[in-house]
Amino acid sequence: MPVRDDDGAGRDGASSGGARLDAAGIGGELGPRATLVHFSSAFCRPCAATRRVLADVAAMVEGVTHVEIDAEARLELVRALDIRATPTTLVLDAEGRVVRRAAGQPRRADVIAALGAVL
């Protein structure tokens, strides 16, 4: 999961512009320490593997929540955050600020490293 601080371009070349999300915006509760937000689509094969990795990491790290968002059902949010591919993963801090972002199927170690930078 190549990651970046929110002020630079990541592998997907997009910036979320310092976005801040809340539970209503993502359709799920924010984690007390961090939230892994995963944008997926029905026909995306890497999305299923991404779901498993993020859910496993969230279960392993106390205070971290995983929320999956169907990109097709939430086009307004996808456009607002400039999501260009699925899977795309956003790492939110405890206040809901997007602090890391990556497109593509993540590796467990990279997700843990990205969380380490947030926690």
Side-chain angles (χ1 to χ4, degrees), residues 10-104:
R11 187 169 88 189
D12 64 358
S15 172
S16 51
R20 186 172 175 167
L21 303 171
D22 59 17
I26 63 170
E29 291 299 315
L30 294 175
R33 297 178 67 201
T35 306
L36 300 169
V37 179
H38 164 212
F39 286 86
S40 66
S41 56
F43 300 104
C44 168
R45 290 195 121 180
C47 290
T50 298
R51 177 183 314 113
R52 286 189 299 275
V53 168
L54 298 179
D56 287 350
V57 171
M60 190 172 57
V61 181
E62 186 177 339
V64 175
T65 301
H66 168 233
V67 176
E68 185 172 359
I69 297 174
D70 179 353
E72 295 175 59
R74 302 289 308 275
L75 287 176
E76 186 174 310
L77 182 60
V78 165
R79 289 181 185 120
L81 294 171
D82 198 24
I83 304 297
R84 297 178 183 216
T86 57
T88 291
T89 303
L90 305 179
V91 179
L92 311 182
D93 66 12
E95 287 77 43
R97 285 185 301 263
V98 179
V99 294
R100 300 275 197 248
R101 159 186 198 126

